[in-house]
């Protein structure tokens, strides 16, 4: 009996030896490849080190954690092979010594980072799976950010690759990710994941092999193509392995090891930490500039949490006035934001948003030494136009002073209004001084200000980013223009389009502006400002004026005045205005061009034509410079009409003095 048992054992041993020998003969290069000079990707090491310093605080493990032992658990190769082969993946999960070295790294010295990534994966992996499934890609690609960024949305490599999926700026823009000084959508979990899924799909359409796709994702298609050529045209990753850059060689083995450890962590005594992200999040669109600190102070959420929920905003500022951006908040905080949005936008705005809208307070008409600051609290029924009329300013000025993006006013909001303090006429530079034969210089009580609304044409420049499949005709139709005009704006002569490049689009918009016009009160005959000219004022120009009014020339009517130099004070203009003038002199005025004025506006103001102003002043172009003095010959209808204007006396509440 004993001999039979021994003989049977011998036969079984021989059979196993034969099977083992046949298995060794069938092993491919991918199963036996070794690399004694393997280099762990430097960016992977950097991202893991950043995790330790950023996320190691207040780490808490789940209650179902099996063991907290720090001793690594290592298994036999056959166990690794069986576990990898049994994973329900579309991608090939092979095992070799290089893969084993990465598994031991994750199960050993990187087990703390694996704990973190397991916890954060509860939040990120469903997001990744949704985008991958939408594009029809293998769901195991969700583990790619594990080796790319260690699931850190603000990770940045040495060469500038950023975000969960480590996009370079050029690749990110190619897939419509916005990158500027305040916003980097490579750090936006949702948008970067959608872009990564499209990029991976495009790479697979090129190579048709997922190992080559992952390698190309890491080092770029150019390096993979060079490795294929150097290998003699091989298209198997393990065949071109020696020809790849050193850091990329370990990229596919690292991905296989990450897939293994994310599924079998419990067998290696690794416990997930509790995820710090809230279970449910919601988003709302922000259309105004707002700082995280403004939000944090009002709805009681920390700035650190806002950064974690919205990593795409690089400087804690949402530039909502540039375009609408989504703000992610815990679902219970969304209603609090909506209810307090006006308070949030106004809270510490000047302190946290130091950017000025206009350079120079004289441009917007407030804040100068001759102005008075008023704080007005909005009441029910108030509108911008009513407040502008009440305080003698324009609606646009109120919007600029208070950083208002629309004409809507919130009841209870405090508005800053800058009101000019009344000064003597001789101190008001550049203003047209109204005087009569019997009026003194300080008689200003018979003046009032009317606000006139005018429409101005404004050219607005925008940019269109070229997408794949775009045509010149399609872009022109989308933007309401012609192909020839598009090419002219962008100085392009060819018909080729490059995806990712931006095209300049110019559109003309008509905006309504308000202008203050001084008129005479109490039906008194207005005396318009005198033009100071010298004896060079030609008789031919005077004849032109007489022809307009239909009168023969009388030499005695020729104005006896001179041109004032730019260096003279406006007091000289005022003193000249006080002199007794003839009827002919009152028909000629001298207009000093102000900021923002055009010749068309000036012509409309004085009821003359643009061509006449250009002719009278011998202008070489249609542009008048600020401070330039223009000669205007008024038609009779101007003075007659002005004398019939009924002035509106300001009420007591509307009048401001220096003592208010």
């Amino acid at each position: 009996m004993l001999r039979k048992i021994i003989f049977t054992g011998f036969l079984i041993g021989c059979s196993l030896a034969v099977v083992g020998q046949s298995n060794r003969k069938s092993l491919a290069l991918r199963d036996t490849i070794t690399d004694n000079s393997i280099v762990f990707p430097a960016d992977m090491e950097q991202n893991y080190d950043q995790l330790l310093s950023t996320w190691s605080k207040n780490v808490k493990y789940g209650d179902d954690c099996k063991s907290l032992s720090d001793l690594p658990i290592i298994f036999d190769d056959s166990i690794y092979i069986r576990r990898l082969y049994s994973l329900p993946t579309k991608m090939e999960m092979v095992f070799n010594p290089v893969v084993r070295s990465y598994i031991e790294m994750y199960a050993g010295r990187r087990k703390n980072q694996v704990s973190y990534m397991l916890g954060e994966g509860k939040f990120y992996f469903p997001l990744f799976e949704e985008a991958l499934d939408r594009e029809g890609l293998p769901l195991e690609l969700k583990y790619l950010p594990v080796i790319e960024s260690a699931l850190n949305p603000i990770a940045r490599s040495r060469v500038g690759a950023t975000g969960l999926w480590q996009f370079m700026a050029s690749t990110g823009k190619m897939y419509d990710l916005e990158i500027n000084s305040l916003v980097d959508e490579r750090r936006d979990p949702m948008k970067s994941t959608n872009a990564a899924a499209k990029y991976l799909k495009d790479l697979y359409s090129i190579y048709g092999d997922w190992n080559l796709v992952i390698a190309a994702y890491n080092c770029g298609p150019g390096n993979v193509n060079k490795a294929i050529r150097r290998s003699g045209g091989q298209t198997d990753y393990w065949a071109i392995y020696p020809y790849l850059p050193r850091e990329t060689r370990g990229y596919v083995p690292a991905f296989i090891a990450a897939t293994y450890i994310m599924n079998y962590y419990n067998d290696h005594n690794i416990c997930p930490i509790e995820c710090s992200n809230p279970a449910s999040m919601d988003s709302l669109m922000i259309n105004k500039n707002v700082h995280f600190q403004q939000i944090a102070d009002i709805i009681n959420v920390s700035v650190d949490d806002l950064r974690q929920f919205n990593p795409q905003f690089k400087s804690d500022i949402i530039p909502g006035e540039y375009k609408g951006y989504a703000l992610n908040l815990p679902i219970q905080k969304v209603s609090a934001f909506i209810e307090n949005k006006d308070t949030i936008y106004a809270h510490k705005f000047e302190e946290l948003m130091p950017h000025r809208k206009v350079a120079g307070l004289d441009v917007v008409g407030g804040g100068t030494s001759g102005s008075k600051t008023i704080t007005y609290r909005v009441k029910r029924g108030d509108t911008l136009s009513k407040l502008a009329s009440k305080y003698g300013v324009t609606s646009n000025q109120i919007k600029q002073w208070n950083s208002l993006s629309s004409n809507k006013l919130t009841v209870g909001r405090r508005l800053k209004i800058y009101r000019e303090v009344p000064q003597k006429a001789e101190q008001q530079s550049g203003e047209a001084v109204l005087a009569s034969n019997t009026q003194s210089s300080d008689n200003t009580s018979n003046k009032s200000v009317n606000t006139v609304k005018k429409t101005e044409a404004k050219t607005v420049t925008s940019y269109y980013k070229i997408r794949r499949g775009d045509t010149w005709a399609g872009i022109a139709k989308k933007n309401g223009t012609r192909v020839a005009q598009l090419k002219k704006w962008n100085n392009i002569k060819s018909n080729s389009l490059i995806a990712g490049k931006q095209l300049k689009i110019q559109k003309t918009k008509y905006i309504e502006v308000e202008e203050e016009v001084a008129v005479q009160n109490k039906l008194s005959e207005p005396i318009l400002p005198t033009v100071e000219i010298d004896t060079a004022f030609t008789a031919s120009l005077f004849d032109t004026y007489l022809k307009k009014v239909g009168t023969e020339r009388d030499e005695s009517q020729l104005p006896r005045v001179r041109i004032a130099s730019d260096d003279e004070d406006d007091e000289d203009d005022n003193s000249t205005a006080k002199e007794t003038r003839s009827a002919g002199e009152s028909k000629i005025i001298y207009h000093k061009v102000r900021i923002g004025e055009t010749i068309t506006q000036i012509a409309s103001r004085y009821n003359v034509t643009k061509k006449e102003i250009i002719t009278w002043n011998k202008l070489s172009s249609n542009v008048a410079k600020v401070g330039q003095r223009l000669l205007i010959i008024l038609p009779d209808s101007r003075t007659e009409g002005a004398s019939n204007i009924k002035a509106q006396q300001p009420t007591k509440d509307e009048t401001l003095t220096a003592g208010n």
Side-chain angles (χ1 to χ4, degrees), residues 212-258:
L212 293 179
V213 166
I214 294 175
Y217 190 93
N218 176 253
C219 66
N223 285 321
V224 172
N225 293 341
K226 284 188 287 186
I228 291 174
R229 287 194 295 269
R230 289 168 181 165
S231 67
Q234 297 285 338
T235 56
D236 179 74
Y237 172 81
W238 301 104
I240 70 170
Y241 181 91
Y243 304 100
L244 290 168
R246 291 182 65 191
E247 288 191 8
T248 305
R249 292 177 195 171
Y251 197 71
V252 170
F255 173 76
I256 295 172

Side-chain angles (χ1 to χ4, degrees), residues 374-378 384 387 398 402 404 409 413-417:
I374 302 169
T375 301
Y376 180 84
R377 189 169 184 175
V378 178
L384 278 177
L387 295 179
I398 297 178
N402 297 277
L404 299 177
L409 294 178
R413 175 166 183 167
R414 298 182 184 276
L415 300 177
K416 289 183 179 179
I417 299 175

Side-chain angles (χ1 to χ4, degrees), residues 297-316:
D297 290 348
I298 303 302
I299 65 172
N300 193 27
V301 58
S302 72
V303 172
D304 287 338
D305 284 345
L306 289 173
R307 290 171 182 159
Q308 183 178 350
F309 305 152
N310 304 274
Q312 64 270 31
F313 300 112
K314 298 159 63 175
S315 301
D316 296 347

